């Protein structure tokens, strides 16, 4: 049985999608397109209804769902820091995230990774997303009943 994958890329105003099937180890693109989002994604039902509409209009059925998020609801940054302990790096990352106006005084989820550079410095790459928005995103994808496999934050 071949797996049918629906991949959606969410921006603040557009939902782009690609529908592919894995046949004999090769991904074949069967459908693709984009939809303008008429409402704010933070409103319950907007994303799940948009996904349902794609499935209906394109007459497709997906067995897996992958999501890429290119929205203002997230940030991806990097910083060069002096050599610090893990606890200090975490404090700097949180402080940098809180400087971003959309995340200031908001609950957020974040990840970061530190990479050593030369001369006692390190490069820290971090991403953050509003906690409420992330919860809505997961709730909306669960409503579709398509197994949700992957979330990517893209620039």
């Amino acid at each position: 049985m071949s797996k049918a994958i629906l991949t959606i890329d969410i921006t603040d105003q557009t939902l782009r999608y690609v529908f592919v099937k894995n046949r004999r180890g090769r991904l074949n693109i069967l459908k693709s397109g984009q939809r303008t989002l008429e409402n704010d994604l933070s409103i319950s039902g907007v994303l799940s209804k948009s996904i349902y509409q794609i499935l209906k209009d394109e007459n497709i059925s997906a067995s897996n769902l992958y999501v890429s998020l290119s929205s203002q609801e997230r940030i991806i940054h990097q910083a060069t820091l002096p050599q610090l302990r893990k606890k200090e790096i975490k404090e700097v990352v949180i402080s940098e995230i809180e400087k971003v106006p959309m995340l200031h005084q908001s609950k957020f989820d974040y990840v970061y990774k530190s990479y050593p550079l030369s001369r006692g410095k390190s490069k820290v790459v971090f991403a953050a997303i509003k906690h409420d928005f992330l919860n809505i995103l997961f709730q909306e994808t669960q409503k579709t009943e398509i197994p949700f496999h992957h979330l990517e934050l893209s620039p």
Side-chain angles (χ1 to χ4, degrees):
M1 183 175 143
S2 62
K3 292 226 177 200
I5 302 167
L6 179 61
T7 301
I8 59 173
D9 177 47
I10 303 168
T11 68
D12 292 317
Q13 299 167 353
T14 306
L15 188 128
R16 292 185 290 261
Y17 61 93
V18 176
F19 179 69
V20 298
K21 275 198 176 178
N22 187 346
R23 293 187 181 142
R24 297 184 202 132
R26 301 182 95 179
L27 291 177
N28 296 307
I29 298 174
L30 302 178
K31 306 271 181 159
S32 67
Q34 72 177 32
R35 306 284 167 110
T36 301
L37 293 169
E38 303 296 328
N39 293 303
D40 186 347
L41 282 175
S42 63
I43 299 170
S44 180
V46 169
L47 180 59
S48 58
K49 287 176 186 172
S50 296
I51 294 171
Y52 283 133
Q53 198 62 47
I54 290 169
L55 297 172
K56 180 182 173 191
D57 292 351
E58 296 289 358
N59 194 26
I60 56 178
S61 176
S63 55
N64 295 296
L65 178 64
Y66 292 79
V67 176
S68 175
L69 183 64
S70 307
S71 167
Q72 291 180 11
E73 300 295 329
R74 59 89 192 112
I75 64 161
I76 301 170
H77 287 278
Q78 62 181 338
T80 301
L81 302 175
Q83 207 67 339
L84 300 170
R85 294 188 312 263
K86 286 184 179 184
K87 182 180 177 182
E88 294 171 320
I89 292 173
K90 182 178 178 178
E91 291 171 0
V92 170
V93 167
I94 291 171
S95 174
E96 289 298 311
I97 292 169
E98 289 174 339
K99 289 178 185 176
V100 176
M102 68 137 192
L103 293 171
H104 181 69
Q105 296 185 357
S106 295
K107 288 184 180 180
F108 54 84
D109 293 314
Y110 68 98
V111 294
Y112 69 92
K113 177 72 177 161
S114 178
Y115 301 92
L117 296 175
S118 60
R119 298 187 182 148
K121 294 191 181 269
S122 61
K123 174 78 68 181
V124 179
V125 179
F126 55 94
I129 186 169
K130 284 184 180 179
H131 182 76
D132 294 342
F133 187 79
L134 189 59
N135 285 342
I136 288 170
L137 187 65
F138 286 126
Q139 290 167 4
E140 291 294 299
T141 56
Q142 286 178 341
K143 287 179 186 177
T144 67
E145 298 180 0
I146 303 170
F148 178 66
H149 286 276
H150 183 78
L151 171 65
E152 176 181 305
L153 300 179
S154 51

